[in-house]
Structure formats: C-alpha cells, structure tokens
Amino acid sequence: MNILMTEGARPFSAETLTIDHAAETDRIVAGLREQLRGMKKRGLVLGLSGGIDSSVSVALAVRAVGAKNVFCLFMPENDSDPESLRFGRLVAETFGVEAIIEDIGPTLKAMGCYERRDAFIRELVPVYGDGWASKIVIANALEGEGYNISSLVVQSPDGVQSKHRMPPSVYLGIVAATNMKQRTRKQVEYYHADRLNFAVLGTPNRLEYDQGFFVKNGDGAADVKPIAHLYKSQVYALAAHLGIPEEIRRRPPTTDTYSLEQTQEEFYFSLPYDRMDLCLYGLNNGIEIDAVATAAGLTVTQVERVWADIAAKRKATRYLHLGPQLVQPVVEVKG
C-alpha cells in the first residue's frame, strides 16, 4: 500500500487519499533500483506521451537511475494530437533525458491499421473516408442499469457529427485495428531496451491497472510498473512534488488514440478520475457507501452503479493480467 497520511477521525473525503510525497518517492525509487538489479539492467526505456502518468514515471526513473540512464520515445502516428509531442518534449527537457521521435504512422499504414479500421466504420457509415474523423464512446454507467453500450461517433469533413450504435462485430473490429497502435509502440520500446540493456517501464496508475484500461502485449507490457499502486489523484499530487510542469498537470487525461478528441471517461470510465478514485478507494477499503456518495458528490444509487461497473470491468478484463496459461506447470522455471 502507498504511504498514506494519518487520517485520524476525519470523514472520508479526497483528503483520505493524501500521501507522504517524499516517503512515497523514496520507496518507489528504492523499489526500481532493486528490481533493475534483479534483472541485471542498467537503465529504463519508456514511451513519453506528455500525459501525467508518463511524466511522473520519467521523474521517478531519473531519481532512480540518473538522467543518462533513462531513454524516452515519442511515438506519434496519423491520429495523434500534436500537443502530445510538445508536452512530451517539455518533460524531456525538464528532466534532462535523451528522447527521440519514432513515427509509427508509416508502420501502422503498412500493416493496414487505418484501412482495416475504416472498413469496419464503413459498415455503419458507407461514405466514411478522407477528411472524416471518429472515436468510440461508452454509455455512462450512472445513467442506467445493465451493460455499457459502446457507440461510434463520426465527424464529416464539414464538421457534422453523428452517433451510431455498433454491433459487436464492428466494435471488435475497430478496437482490434486500433490496438495495433499500442502494440507497435511496445515493439519499438523493446527494440531500444534490448540494444541498451535497459528495462521497459510501464506507466499505468491504479485506476487503469485495476480496471484493465490497457492493451495486452501493448501498453500493458512492461518489465516494471512503478505507479500501478497509486490512485490517479495521487499521481497528480506526486507530480507537483516532483516538479512536473504545471501546464502538464493541468492537462485533462485523454486517450490520444482516435482521430476525434476523446476523454478517458467518454471511452472507458464512469466518472472523471478524481471521483472514480474515491469510489474505487471506498470499495477497496470497505468505506460505507453513504460516506463514499457524500465524498464523490453522488447518490447512493449512483455509487452502487459505479461499484457494479468496477466489478464488471474487473471480471471482463481479468485475462489481461494473466500470463500465458500452461496445461501443466514447468516446475524448473520460476516466474
């Protein structure tokens, strides 16, 4: 568990998630050093998106192994927001790490990523093509009972948007094509890690890790994941302590995966991260539902729906956390 400040008798609130930033930094840094010694690696490679999680991870990596032993990659593609590259460069300059651009757009095009995705979109919107943009959005878990239904949002070249209910085959096809992006990035990270004898650092926070908000063998693949135990709001607080530029700390979390701008709660989560953290912490720590509802500004019914959504995502994404399954253990090989 991360190092929480003493709560006393205070009611449950965002303050409950306050951590000792200096002690937590020291603990993560010590953990990274020990893990690298065990792997016989001398540094860390990571993809730098300019988001809060990768920015905090860079700062922690530099404290653990020094700037000269941290290598960062900017990996834009055809749908990337140019602001991500600008923010990534700002982080690299702030912490003095080497960083290079690996444009994965041509690779994705050669593999048919965009063509495959667009073919599935055209099953619903036959005129979809050059100049159009799209994203996937999910129904908010607070709005009703039952399954979350994903919809396709498309925007025509003249800026007109429309929303379309997707059959499972279209949804799965679009996601399968889009997942090529995360898996291609990870291939590039491991190439550089292998040539440098570095380890690959993954950047999920606790909310993403718990809820399976990652691609298996894509952004879910890594040798170390130093902030996976931290709630997203704790990552933001740690960012201020570590000196992450304020401009980055003010940036809303995005997926930066689809060609239309997309927030994480549009695509996956029921609520903005700060309220999701309160609901997740409350569920994890047996906090009374009334107290969670008050702290998160929700009704008890809404918290019940969020908790049900958390449980459903844990069940649906359990396989993402599993390694390859063996019919019989190979006892001589220890994991």
Side-chain angles (χ1 to χ4, degrees):
M1 180 180 291
N2 49 288
I3 302 171
L4 291 162
M5 301 292 284
T6 302
E7 296 178 33
R10 291 178 300 174
F12 178 65
S13 71
E15 293 292 316
T16 307
L17 276 69
T18 300
I19 59 176
D20 183 329
H21 303 125
E24 187 62 29
T25 297
D26 289 345
R27 190 164 75 98
I28 293 171
V29 166
L32 278 172
R33 289 172 179 166
E34 182 178 357
Q35 289 164 348
L36 289 175
R37 281 195 296 270
M39 290 183 281
K40 294 181 171 55
K41 302 294 183 181
R42 62 189 187 89
L44 293 160
V45 168
L46 71 154
L48 182 49
S49 68
I52 197 70
D53 297 316
S54 64
S55 299
V56 166
S57 296
V58 168
L60 292 168
V62 168
R63 291 201 179 203
V65 298
K68 64 182 177 61
N69 290 316
V70 177
F71 187 80
C72 294
L73 295 160
F74 310 126
M75 293 174 284
E77 45 90 16
N78 297 6
D79 296 324
S80 295
D81 182 352
E83 281 286 271
S84 295
L85 181 56
R86 183 176 73 83
F87 282 125
R89 282 175 165 156
L90 176 59
V91 175
E93 291 167 4
T94 298
F95 294 100
V97 297
E98 183 180 0
I100 66 169
I101 296 176
E102 290 269 16
D103 183 355
I104 65 169
T107 300
L108 292 171
K109 184 177 180 180
M111 291 193 300
C113 169
Y114 306 114
E115 182 180 353
R116 295 170 199 263
R117 177 201 62 194
D118 292 356
F120 282 106
I121 292 174
R122 279 193 288 272
E123 291 187 26
L124 301 182
V125 187
V127 295
Y128 189 89
D130 291 343
W132 287 68
S134 63
K135 64 181 175 181
I136 288 176
V137 299
I138 195 167
N140 195 310
L142 300 184
E143 295 175 357
E145 307 283 355
Y147 295 103
N148 287 329
I149 304 300
S150 293
S151 298
L152 173 70
V153 175
V154 299
Q155 180 173 293
S156 67
D158 56 2
V160 177
Q161 288 193 2
S162 59
K163 189 174 181 179
H164 307 264
R165 177 84 169 267
M166 289 184 292
S169 60
V170 171
Y171 169 77
L172 291 172
I174 293 172
V175 170
T178 303
N179 285 352
M180 290 182 178
K181 299 179 180 184
Q182 287 83 358
R183 293 190 174 113
T184 299
R185 288 190 175 105
K186 197 56 61 170
Q187 281 189 318
V188 176
E189 289 176 36
Y190 270 100
Y191 161 74
H192 287 286
D194 288 348
R195 75 175 180 82
L196 294 167
N197 193 32
F198 284 8
V200 170
L201 187 153
T203 65
N205 57 65
R206 189 184 194 120
L207 182 59
E208 294 170 349
Y209 188 75
D210 182 299
Q211 293 290 277
F213 187 51
F214 56 85
V215 175
K216 189 161 190 173
N217 296 324
D219 52 338
D223 299 311
V224 295
K225 296 182 179 181
I227 62 171
H229 63 292
L230 294 177
Y231 291 87
K232 184 92 173 183
S233 51
Q234 293 173 336
V235 175
Y236 271 96
L238 197 60
H241 170 75
L242 293 169
I244 305 300
E246 184 179 356
E247 189 177 11
I248 291 168
R249 289 187 276 122
R250 291 200 310 263
R251 187 189 190 195
T254 66
T255 63
D256 198 20
T257 298
Y258 291 87
S259 50
L260 277 178
E261 185 176 340
Q262 181 190 55
T263 64
Q264 288 187 349
E265 55 263 32
E266 272 187 312
F267 180 65
Y268 201 75
F269 297 115
S270 303
L271 296 163
Y273 74 86
D274 51 346
R275 299 166 83 190
M276 276 299 302
D277 277 355
L278 289 168
C279 291
L280 182 61
Y281 183 95
L283 180 61
N284 288 346
N285 292 276
I287 306 296
E288 291 291 335
I289 194 168
D290 289 342
V292 175
T294 299
L298 302 170
T299 67
V300 168
T301 299
Q302 286 174 325
V303 174
E304 288 174 342
R305 288 174 178 167
V306 173
W307 281 359
D309 190 51
I310 288 171
K313 285 190 171 76
R314 283 176 173 171
K315 183 178 180 180
T317 64
R318 179 178 175 272
Y319 80 98
L320 296 176
H321 293 278
L322 297 175
Q325 302 297 287
L326 307 181
V327 171
Q328 179 177 320
V330 180
V331 295
E332 294 82 6
V333 178
K334 304 297 182 183

